[in-house]
Amino acid sequence: MDITFNVASGRIVANFHKNDNPDAPIAFVFHDALEAGGNMKDMAVATLFLAFAQNGFSVMRFNFNPSDDKRPDMEKGEAELTEASAAIDWLQARLENASGLWLAGVGFGAWIAMQVLMRRVEAMGYVSLYPDAKKGDWTFFSPVPVDGMLIGSEAVPGAGEEAMGELLKFINKQKTAKAQLAMVADAKDYKSIYRSVDAYLKTRKVAASKAA
């Protein structure tokens, strides 16, 4: 369902799927940079949204508000980080029994998700689709508190196998958590993206049930 709510930077326009289970974990999916055509209705965002929704999550995606007509990029994003945190706070206040939080994103949105992850002690996992592994300083992502998934494609600048492999190595050399990497040949092969995320979420669900 489509919803709107107010945060300090303005009105957030969002799409929300609420799981019938009040204890269901929450997931947020953040879109790519505006200058790259990113918005919450992008097929990549919709694919991640669907994968989480069909794996028992309450899921939200929303449009970032442009700040002073400036477009976000990998070096900035303060307004987007603030909006992401405000949206999470807003939803958590209404789903008080949620069992945890996952962050996901596409491109610039993946970078936002990984930044937010480091600020949320309740975070349980992440899915990072086409992060620009060659751009920006990734030292902030250490120590990574939870396991997660990276998805790359040779067809996406900065998300090819070599760059993604280096990011994976950087994450996995840490002792706190591990990441998995999946590569897709066609960046718009949304069925393959869905299958990869769906399989990973199911694996994590099984692992959590065995640990309980």
Side-chain angles (χ1 to χ4, degrees):
M1 62 179 174
D2 293 330
I3 59 175
T4 59
F5 55 93
N6 293 320
V7 297
S9 61
R11 176 169 291 187
I12 293 290
V13 178
N15 183 257
F16 175 55
H17 164 79
K18 184 178 180 181
N19 190 278
D20 291 336
N21 179 3
D23 298 326
I26 296 169
F28 278 80
V29 183
F30 305 125
H31 65 71
D32 201 354
L34 298 177
E35 71 267 26
N39 63 79
M40 72 173 177
K41 295 184 178 180
D42 175 82
M43 276 298 297
V45 172
T47 299
L48 296 181
F49 184 96
L50 181 63
F52 278 102
Q54 294 189 344
N55 275 280
F57 288 77
S58 291
V59 198
M60 178 177 282
R61 52 181 170 166
F62 65 90
N63 287 327
F64 290 121
N65 291 320
S67 177
D68 299 326
D69 295 325
K70 293 179 181 178
R71 301 301 191 183
D73 56 38
M74 288 289 286
E75 284 73 41
K76 298 180 182 178
E78 291 88 352
E80 290 73 28
L81 285 169
T82 299
E83 287 181 347
S85 293
I88 293 170
D89 289 342
W90 185 90
L91 188 58
Q92 286 180 329
R94 287 156 179 79
L95 298 177
E96 295 181 348
N97 293 324
S99 57
L101 172 69
W102 280 63
L103 288 309
V106 182
F108 171 77
W111 182 79
I112 291 291
M114 293 159 97
Q115 286 270 1
V116 174
L117 179 79
M118 301 301 293
R119 308 175 186 199
R120 292 279 173 168
V121 296
E122 72 273 31
M124 299 171 62
Y126 63 94
V127 176
S128 184
L129 177 61
Y130 309 147
D132 192 338
K134 284 188 175 181
K135 191 176 183 181
D137 183 359
W138 290 94
T139 56
F140 76 87
F141 206 52
S142 174
V144 186
V146 294
D147 294 347
M149 183 181 201
L150 307 174
I151 304 176
S153 174
E154 293 291 351
V156 179
E161 189 167 4
E162 181 179 355
M164 294 297 290
E166 288 298 316
L167 180 56
L168 181 70
K169 186 186 300 182
F170 168 73
I171 295 171
N172 284 349
K173 73 179 181 182
Q174 303 174 47
K175 297 180 179 179
T176 49
K178 300 298 180 184
Q180 293 185 16
L181 172 63
M183 297 294 297
V184 294
D186 181 350
K188 295 184 179 181
D189 184 357
Y190 302 115
K191 289 184 179 179
S192 290
I193 294 169
Y194 176 89
R195 285 194 294 266
S196 295
V197 177
D198 179 64
Y200 180 71
L201 293 177
K202 283 179 168 55
T203 299
R204 288 288 302 272
K205 191 182 300 183
V206 169
S209 66
K210 288 181 178 179

